[in-house]
Amino acid sequence: MSKTILITGATAGIGRFTALHLAKLGHYVIASGRKLDELAKLEAEARVANVRIDTVALDVTSTTSIAAAVAAVDALTEGKGPDVLVNNAGFGILGPTSEISDSEMRRQYETNVFGLMNVTRAFLPKMMARRSGRVINVSSVGGRMTLPYFGVYNSTKYAVESLSDALRYELRPFDIDVALIEPGIIRTNFEATAVAGMAQFATSPYGKAIGKYEEMSKLADKFASDPIVIAKAITRAVTARRASARYVAPRSQNAIFLASTFLPRVMWDWAMRKVGHLSVKNIDFTARSAPVPPPWEVPVARSKHTPVASA
Ligand SMILES: NC(=O)c1ccc[n+]([C@@H]2O[C@H](COP(=O)([O-])OP(=O)(O)OC[C@H]3O[C@@H](n4cnc5c(N)ncnc54)[C@H](OP(=O)(O)O)[C@@H]3O)[C@@H](O)[C@H]2O)c1
């Protein structure tokens, strides 16, 4: 049966590919994103393929943009709203966890966690009122295991996993299924965005280790899967009579969950240090750490109203 599906972050990668895939299968897809020119290109590509995709501007970090998107989707669906919401928009910046600045960490949470929750909250009321619907959240295999330098990004996906579990329990009485998609390494812009910020850590104690890791991470791209693997997993989550809680894609990634669960902790940690080139010889103990001070260390200009503690 054809569904009305709203996808976030559909201007590139997994979101764009999935929008086209679902439209070709006969679903009514509303693709959303920040880049209007990319949305127009997607609509045109759908027309060439003889399918219809409508598009809506949506920056998941902006409450104004979310409100406008709700109105636009209402207009496209005669006030009904989507049957399925696919929360796909997201990104990660890699780096040593202690070195990532407060603002960079918040930026990742604003998109991957708060953005996802705000979009969900905006589209849920109609699903709850009609007691049917589905929310599909794109997490990561890194939502259940942590890799070196992925600490901040992985933690956003751990948050998505936990929030999705709670939503799944709580929305079941409304007949709304909540599913998680857990992609492995997928060939998209994700990797380029992720490593783009790594140069800023070159002068940190981790500079040498990170340099080696970056080379390896580019190599890992050779073993990446195409976005079709995720488009198919999302399709299974859309069309199943009852969606599963989790879809690992490709399924071979289950091996890494088994290893992280059953290997003794010392062996797992050793393997992770190897992956991150985190041996003593790769650390510069003379380098200055923390390039950006956390907010509590930034001197704040004191206003004349600020009470001064007496000595
Ligand atoms: N590729 C992988 O290896 C991999 C693995 C595990 C999980 N994932 C997850 O898969 C999802 C899709 O990533 P991808 O691999 O397709 O990466 P991608 O090619 O970089 O695409 C990311 C998409 O998210 C959009 N986006 C980012 N911030 C946004 C915002 N504030 N509002 C709306 N859209 C926003 C981007 O739009 P702009 O073009 O405007 O930036 C783009 O359309 C992400 O949640 C990612 O964490 C990817």
Side-chain angles (χ1 to χ4, degrees), residues 243-263:
S244 300
R246 287 175 169 75
Y247 294 81
V248 180
R251 288 196 177 107
S252 56
Q253 294 292 325
N254 274 310
I256 198 137
F257 287 140
L258 281 177
S260 69
T261 309
F262 293 111
L263 273 184

Side-chain angles (χ1 to χ4, degrees), residues 6-26:
L6 172 66
I7 307 180
T8 68
T11 51
I14 290 170
R16 191 178 198 283
F17 200 94
T18 303
L20 280 164
H21 184 73
L22 288 167
K24 286 175 188 170
L25 290 175

Side-chain angles (χ1 to χ4, degrees), residues 8-16 32-35 38 58-62 87-92 110-112 115 138-142 153 156-157 181-191 193 224-225 227 230:
T8 68
T11 51
I14 290 170
R16 191 178 198 283
S32 72
R34 298 186 288 193
K35 294 179 178 148
E38 289 301 329
L58 175 54
D59 176 344
V60 304
T61 62
S62 155
N87 281 308
N88 161 76
F91 75 100
E110 284 300 336
T111 301
N112 298 2
V138 179
S139 172
S140 166
V141 289
Y153 170 70
T156 68
K157 295 300 187 180
I181 308 295
E182 298 177 324
I185 307 172
I186 310 298
R187 229 166 264 122
T188 65
N189 297 335
F190 179 86
E191 179 76 12
T193 308
S225 306
I230 307 305

